[in-house]
Structures are given as structure tokens and as C-alpha cells.
């Protein structure tokens, strides 16, 4: 008994308060931030390399969210967090042959950043100016992994101590990153209130589809999103928007916002269009959830919305998908589609059902919650374009989206 007490006192003296990792937030192109219950120090961390593309970091503490969490990134890399044994959680990092990783500690936060490999020494010396290494502190430490060359993970070996990491300052985060905007009277602290984030597509320098009336898609969807926010607020939801003014936001940043506020649902709102020289004039509402496109129509719509992400293929998107998220997003898409059509039919008798479809939309990639993209109509259609700029029609669309959200929540509390 005395030995047990002595051992417990020794552990407490060595590590202090038991570290609890209370949450994880992915951000940027391939980064993950873990949050501790206290300041994290280097002695809480143990780095182990499995092979040239796989490594793991043991953090001596407790993974409060429990269960295994997988975070997949656009460069076909992955970070998995799970409790390895009662005393430690494990952060498993899988790279590709063009990437490496680093980690650093900042007070109670632990960051893992996957990035492109640094240039070789010979390349760096060409025209490069050397600068002295920055100073570092015990609580702010960064370690770079060995260079990966293979894509085959190996089984976890018995852990062995590794040399202490090289200490440098963490990389600077981009300044002035847009933040999610709370637009509801219902506050995040409200008990049992669901959090919905609305994402008006495009914005700022990105007009989106310019319709037959020469009105930009970005203006139409912003108006509809604001009306939807009001409807959801009246229903008691906590509502955020990625933008509530005419500003440009990168596609990946939009779902980062949703993850940061732990949103329950992510809804991106867009207006469809077809080329001017097309002989077809489609109209109607379509709702998409993330998947590899299976129809030419879905591929064309996704191509119009995936601006700036053309270097990634649908096969890359497939690495982000989990069956649970696909099923949940599909259900949300069906309820929103049904909600919109029901509202429209109160004023219009024509069939405007474009269907629920799968599509490879980069704005949905990275969302850790059910997420959909709603095409509220065709800005290129001479009749529908007039409706899309009409406040009464926009209100029908907003009510439909809000009712669809409520329908989904009711069936999936």
C-alpha cells in the first residue's frame, strides 16, 4: 500500500495535475489543435517514428471526448486521436511522400501541422539569406518529423525514448482570419439549443454566377441566408454566418469556422447557372451532400463552385468521407429539399424539384457535422432569375430551409 501511495505521489510530482485533452479543432489546410485542461509541457509528450510516412505522438493524459476521432486533409494525409491506454492518448499521423509534419506547444494548446516538405539544403542555399534561429521557451516547442518516402503504415512497435526535439518558435498564423458571426438572439450558452451555421456562397471579389439580370449570385444568396437566419432564430436555434456582408472567404476557411464553434449543421447557400450558349434552360432547387459526383450535372455544378480547388480530383475527396457523415448529410439534404419545395408550392404550382444529389463540393470538405449545399434556383433562367431577386420569393426559400432543418432535428435529435 505504501508503495502505491509513493508511486502516486511520484507521478503527481513529476507531471502535476492530470492532463485532460478536452477538445480538438482542425484548421488551415492540414492542421489540428488539441486543447488541454492545463498548460501542456514537453514532458507530457513523447514522439515516436514508425516508418517514413507514419509517426505517433503519445500525450500522457486523458482524451475527454472519448472514442477515435479521424481528421482527413486535402493533401491525402490524416491525423487520428484516440486513448491508447488509461494513462495516455495517441496522436497517429499519416503522411504522403511529399509532406512532413511538425508539432509545437503553446500554453494549454498542442498543435500538429502537416505541410509540404522543406526544400533541400542545396536548393535553400541558392539565393537564400540565412537568419539566426529564434529563441524559444520550455512551453513553446516545435519538432519536425523525419522525411517520409513510403505510404505503407506499420504496426506500432514498443515505444523507446527519443532525443529531445529541436526548439524553435511556432509558425505565425495568418492574421485577420475571418471569424464566424453570431446573428441570432439565442446565445451559444442556451441549454439544448442546436447550432446552425449558414454559409452564403462567394462574396467580395467572387461574384459567383452573374445572372440574366446581371445580378451576382453572391448578393442573392447573402439576402436569402440573412432571411434564413431570422427564421431559424425565431425557432430557437443558435445561428452563425460565415459572412453577413460582401467579403471574400476561402472555401476551406468556411468549414473551419463551423468546426471551431462546434456547429451541429453546416448549410452553404448558392444559386445555380448554366453557360449563356447552352440550349437548355433548367430551373428549380437542388440540394447536394458531399460525395464523388456520379452524374454529369453534379460534376458541372461542382466545377462552378469549386473555384481555386481544381488541382484536387473527386478521388481525393473520397478520402474525407465517412459512412456516418454521408448518411446524416443525405438525410439533412432530403429534409431541406422537402422543406423548400413545400413552401414554394404555396405560391407556385410548377415542379421545381431538381432533386437531392451527391457532389464533390470543396466547401463541404472538412466539416465535422452534417453539411449540405443548397442551389436555390437558376440565376441563368429568365423567369427564375426574377424570382431570386424578389424578397417574397427569397422569404419562401428561407422558410423552407429553416423548416427543413427543424424536420431533420426532430428526426435526428
Amino acid at each position: 500500500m505504501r508503495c502505491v501511495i509513493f508511486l502516486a505521489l511520484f507521478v503527481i510530482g513529476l507531471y502535476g495535475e492530470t492532463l485532460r485533452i478536452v477538445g480538438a479543432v482542425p484548421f488551415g489546410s492540414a492542421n489540428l489543435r488539441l486543447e488541454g485542461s492545463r498548460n501542456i509541457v514537453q514532458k507530457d509528450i513523447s514522439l515516436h517514428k514508425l516508418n517514413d510516412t507514419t509517426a505517433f505522438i503519445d500525450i500522457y493524459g486523458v482524451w475527454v471526448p472519448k472514442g477515435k476521432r479521424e481528421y482527413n486533409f486535402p493533401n491525402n494525409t490524416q491525423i487520428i486521436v484516440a486513448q491508447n491506454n488509461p494513462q495516455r492518448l495517441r496522436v497517429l499521423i499519416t503522411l504522403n511522400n511529399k509532406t512532413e509534419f511538425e508539432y509545437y506547444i503553446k500554453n494549454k494548446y498542442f498543435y500538429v501541422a502537416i505541410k509540404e516538405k522543406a526544400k533541400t539544403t542545396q536548393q535553400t542555399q541558392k539565393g537564400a539569406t540565412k537568419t539566426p534561429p529564434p529563441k524559444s521557451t520550455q512551453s513553446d516547442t516545435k519538432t519536425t518529423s523525419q522525411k517520409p518516402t513510403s505510404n505503407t503504415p506499420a504496426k506500432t512497435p514498443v515505444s523507446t525514448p527519443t532525443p529531445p526535439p529541436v526548439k524553435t518558435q511556432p509558425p505565425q498564423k495568418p492574421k485577420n482570419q475571418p471569424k464566424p458571426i453570431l446573428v441570432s438572439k439565442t446565445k451559444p450558452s442556451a441549454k439544448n439549443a442546436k447550432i446552425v451555421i449558414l454559409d452564403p456562397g462567394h462574396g467580395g471579389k467572387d461574384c459567383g454566377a452573374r445572372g440574366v439580370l446581371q445580378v451576382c449570385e453572391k448578393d442573392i444568396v447573402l439576402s436569402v441566408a440573412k432571411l434564413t437566419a431570422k427564421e431559424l432564430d425565431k425557432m430557437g436555434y443558435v445561428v452563425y454566418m460565415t459572412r453577413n456582408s460582401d467579403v471574400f472567404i476561402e472555401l476551406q476557411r468556411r468549414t473551419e469556422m463551423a468546426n471551431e464553434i462546434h456547429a451541429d449543421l453546416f448549410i452553404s447557400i448558392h444559386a445555380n447557372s448554366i453557360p449563356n450558349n447552352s440550349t437548355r434552360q433548367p430551373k428549380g432547387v437542388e440540394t447536394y451532400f458531399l460525395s464523388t459526383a456520379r452524374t454529369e450535372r453534379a460534376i458541372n455544378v461542382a466545377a462552378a463552385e469549386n473555384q481555386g480547388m481544381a488541382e484536387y480530383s473527386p478521388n481525393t475527396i473520397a478520402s474525407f468521407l465517412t459512412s456516418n457523415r454521408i448518411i446524416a448529410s443525405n438525410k439533412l439534404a432530403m429534409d431541406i429539399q422537402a422543406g423548400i419545395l413545400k413552401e414554394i408550392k404555396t405560391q407556385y404550382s410548377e415542379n421545381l424539384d431538381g432533386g437531392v444529389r451527391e457532389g464533390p463540393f470543396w466547401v463541404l470538405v472538412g466539416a465535422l457535422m452534417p453539411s449540405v449545399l443548397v442551389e436555390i434556383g437558376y440565376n441563368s433562367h429568365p423567369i427564375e432569375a426574377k424570382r431570386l431577386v424578389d424578397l417574397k420569393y427569397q422569404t419562401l426559400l428561407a422558410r423552407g430551409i429553416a423548416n427543413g432543418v427543424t424536420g431533420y432535428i426532430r428526426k435526428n435529435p
Side-chain angles (χ1 to χ4, degrees), residues 273-291:
S273 183
I274 60 171
N276 294 330
N277 58 0
S278 176
T279 57
R280 300 183 303 111
Q281 284 192 339
K283 59 181 177 179
V285 179
E286 301 167 5
T287 307
Y288 290 83
F289 61 98
L290 182 63
S291 180

Side-chain angles (χ1 to χ4, degrees), residues 76-267:
N76 203 25
T77 58
Q78 182 187 65
I79 299 176
I80 298 176
V81 184
Q83 193 77 35
N84 181 251
N85 64 38
Q87 286 75 42
R88 66 172 178 245
L89 61 97
R90 178 159 293 176
V91 181
L92 178 65
I93 303 158
T94 303
L95 305 165
N96 61 43
N97 59 5
K98 295 182 179 179
T99 56
E100 58 188 0
F101 79 95
E102 60 189 14
Y103 78 81
Y104 60 92
I105 303 166
K106 187 71 172 178
N107 299 324
K108 66 177 183 178
Y109 295 109
F110 179 83
Y111 297 87
V112 180
I114 297 176
K115 60 180 185 177
E116 294 297 315
K117 280 185 182 179
K119 294 182 179 179
T120 63
T121 304
Q122 184 176 5
Q123 290 174 322
T124 304
Q125 289 176 347
K126 293 181 180 180
T129 303
K130 293 184 178 180
T131 56
K135 296 180 181 180
S136 64
T137 63
Q138 178 67 25
S139 63
D140 193 357
T141 306
K142 177 171 65 177
T143 300
T144 304
S145 71
Q146 299 294 322
K147 293 184 178 181
T149 57
S150 169
N151 283 317
T152 305
K155 294 182 179 178
T156 305
V158 177
S159 302
T160 56
T162 56
V166 179
K167 299 178 180 179
T168 62
Q169 290 285 356
Q172 296 295 317
K173 292 183 182 180
K175 294 181 179 180
N176 302 321
Q177 280 277 54
K179 302 293 184 182
I181 304 160
L182 179 64
V183 294
S184 62
K185 295 177 183 178
T186 307
K187 303 300 181 184
S189 58
K191 187 177 180 180
N192 298 326
K194 297 293 185 180
I195 301 174
V196 180
I197 185 165
L198 302 174
D199 171 47
H202 310 280
K205 63 183 181 180
D206 182 7
C207 168
R210 188 181 294 276
V212 293
L213 302 180
Q214 297 303 303
V215 178
C216 284
E217 175 186 357
K218 65 176 184 177
D219 299 320
I220 295 171
V221 298
L222 178 59
S223 179
V224 172
K226 287 181 176 180
L227 292 170
T228 305
K230 290 180 180 179
E231 294 292 331
L232 289 169
D233 185 33
K234 288 188 291 186
M235 296 174 176
Y237 294 96
V238 178
V239 187
Y240 287 85
M241 294 177 68
T242 56
R243 68 179 184 96
N244 65 350
S245 61
D246 187 19
V247 296
F248 175 76
I249 302 173
E250 298 287 347
L251 291 179
Q252 290 179 337
R253 178 60 193 153
R254 296 169 188 251
T255 46
E256 287 175 11
M257 292 185 195
N259 294 337
E260 289 169 2
I261 62 173
H262 305 289
D264 294 292
L265 302 176
F266 176 87
I267 302 169

